Amino acid sequence: FGQAEVSEKKEIAIFQLGYSGWAIPLETLSTIDIEIQRVFLDLGRFSIFGMEKRFATRDVDEFIRILKGIKERTFELPEKYQFYESFLTEAEFERLIGAFIIAVPVVTSFDSQFVNGKEWQTNIKTNVSFIDVASGKLMGIANVESSGTSRETQYKSIQSAIDGIPMTLQYEIRKIPEFQISTGVLGTVGGEIKIQLGSNMGIKPGDEYKVVVGGSYEGFKDEREVGLILIKEVGPEVSTGIIRYSSIKVDKGVQLREIPRLGVNMDVYAHSYTYLEGQANKASSFLIGARFELTRGVYDVHPYLAVQVLADLGKWLPLSAVAGAQYCIYARRLEFGIRGGLAAGSNALIQILNEEFNSTDDPWFTHVGVSAGAYLSYLVTRDLKVFAEVQADYLFGILTDEIFGSYGGYQIGAGVSFKL
């Protein structure tokens, strides 16, 4: 293998959030500005300097036009040039031209209001445009939509919406090809591989990299994906990974490229459910559920949240939620794990079906309990797994109600996991 391509930090100038046409509180603007800057810092792959200017949406195209004119010497910049409410001086333009990339975040929609006399709801849509200074062209746009609610104050609903920006924005930025990390294999130690770059470029445990072969042919990219690497540990400048699969020997000089992911697995599953002894009045049933596992920033211990419905033959449809963690062991495409968590139950489905939810004083929080299980999965493609699992739940009824008393059972089932 030849020398692998290795990414370097890119210089980026970040403007403050543009908001023309929207009545946004100033403290909200400052908070979003800070969150956006923090996203770029956390990504680790940028050298950042900030611009204390705000653009409107319509200014972006004009800014690109002028930037091209300056580069091509077809536009003579005055001492100051106005973009909506902001002025850029000749010195500021020269500073921007020295950067590799310019990021211009703009609010495209802001709605915050008190809904149905119950709660504040806030919805924010933000676009971040990335401009390549060298060519004066638009590299890409990161679109972020976030929402938040609060029964207390409008400010809390706005803050809740702002809290949803970082994770989505990170993912949208990492999806832009020019910002994805390329690196190479340094060597192998005890079956694990050492990879150039680490926390200095924002690599995290749980990140995945594709193994690629080929290069360019007649000036065109000619690469094929032949394997998958999972990052296990991250050092300052070197990371350690394991091979999930590869059709070539992964050795020194092999090229790796980042696979951008949101960092969550979504599992959909169905279980055959058998009640424990002492509950003979309840027939065997089945359980369906969805589970969301955090995968970015973790390697062998994944926090998870699951929502399940026990579908009985009668009208008894207990809904439960489980929050816990699972421990994973990897063996190429195979993955084995155990999990456990705390559960809470509700009769909300019955109330909804009977059109009683929010219209009666009947309690909807009905159970507390525990859940534990084990699974074996197989990685079919880089983005999809299938799995079989066993599980046991027991929920203690907190109401003096025969229908919603304590219940529990053991289960066996299967499902599909989508890597998001």
Side-chain angles (χ1 to χ4, degrees), residues 210-215 221-227 247-248 255:
K210 56 188 175 182
V211 180
V212 297
V213 295
K221 183 175 286 189
D222 179 27
E223 288 187 345
R224 290 178 292 109
E225 182 178 338
V226 295
S247 62
I248 66 168
Q255 182 72 63

Side-chain angles (χ1 to χ4, degrees), residues 240-415:
T240 303
I242 64 169
I243 302 171
R244 296 305 309 273
Y245 62 85
S246 179
S247 62
I248 66 168
K249 184 179 180 181
V250 181
D251 211 342
K252 184 175 181 179
V254 168
Q255 182 72 63
L256 306 178
R257 299 202 191 280
E258 178 184 17
I259 300 174
R261 296 197 189 280
L262 190 58
V264 176
N265 285 354
M266 182 181 72
D267 306 341
V268 181
Y269 54 90
H271 295 168
S272 172
Y273 193 102
T274 302
Y275 289 98
L276 297 175
E277 292 183 10
Q279 297 176 307
N281 60 319
K282 299 184 185 298
S284 295
S285 184
F286 68 94
L287 177 144
I288 56 174
R291 185 168 48 241
F292 299 89
E293 309 164 15
L294 179 66
T295 59
R296 188 159 197 255
V298 294
Y299 170 70
D300 52 4
V301 178
H302 295 180
Y304 74 89
L305 177 66
V307 179
Q308 307 175 144
V309 178
L310 179 55
D312 212 326
L313 297 178
K315 293 184 178 181
W316 191 62
L317 292 171
L319 176 70
S320 62
V322 182
Q326 64 184 32
Y327 180 75
C328 314
I329 300 173
Y330 304 96
R332 289 281 178 154
R333 289 180 181 266
L334 291 176
E335 178 184 334
F336 171 77
I338 57 174
R339 66 170 65 95
L342 300 177
S346 173
N347 63 0
L349 284 179
I350 292 295
Q351 292 202 39
I352 291 172
L353 290 174
N354 294 336
E355 299 182 350
E356 296 174 352
F357 197 62
N358 288 332
S359 65
T360 72
D361 293 329
D362 291 340
W364 55 269
F365 176 59
T366 58
H367 294 82
V368 293
V370 293
S371 175
Y375 70 92
L376 178 67
S377 74
Y378 180 80
L379 186 62
V380 180
T381 71
R382 77 173 196 189
D383 301 320
L384 184 143
K385 300 184 292 183
V386 293
F387 60 86
E389 61 185 6
V390 293
Q391 185 170 304
D393 300 344
Y394 196 87
L395 286 94
F396 301 89
I398 57 177
L399 302 178
T400 56
D401 190 312
E402 291 183 2
I403 296 178
F404 290 101
S406 300
Y407 70 94
Y410 52 90
Q411 310 152 42
I412 184 169

Side-chain angles (χ1 to χ4, degrees), residues 4-54:
E5 176 188 348
V6 179
S7 298
E8 297 180 350
K9 285 184 182 288
K10 293 177 170 60
E11 291 190 347
I12 188 167
I14 306 173
F15 280 79
Q16 292 190 339
L17 186 70
Y19 66 103
S20 64
W22 307 101
I24 304 176
L26 290 178
E27 61 269 25
T28 298
L29 287 171
S30 299
T31 304
I32 297 177
D33 283 331
I34 292 171
E35 290 297 330
I36 289 175
Q37 296 255 356
R38 184 176 296 152
V39 165
F40 283 92
L41 285 170
D42 289 345
L43 279 168
R45 61 197 74 185
F46 299 105
S47 296
I48 301 167
F49 64 87
M51 295 293 296
E52 296 181 356
K53 307 290 182 182
R54 301 187 191 276

Side-chain angles (χ1 to χ4, degrees), residues 10 139 173-182 221:
K10 293 177 170 60
M139 300 170 65
I173 293 172
R174 292 168 62 232
K175 282 169 56 179
I176 297 174
E178 289 84 353
F179 300 153
Q180 291 169 14
I181 293 176
S182 295
K221 183 175 286 189

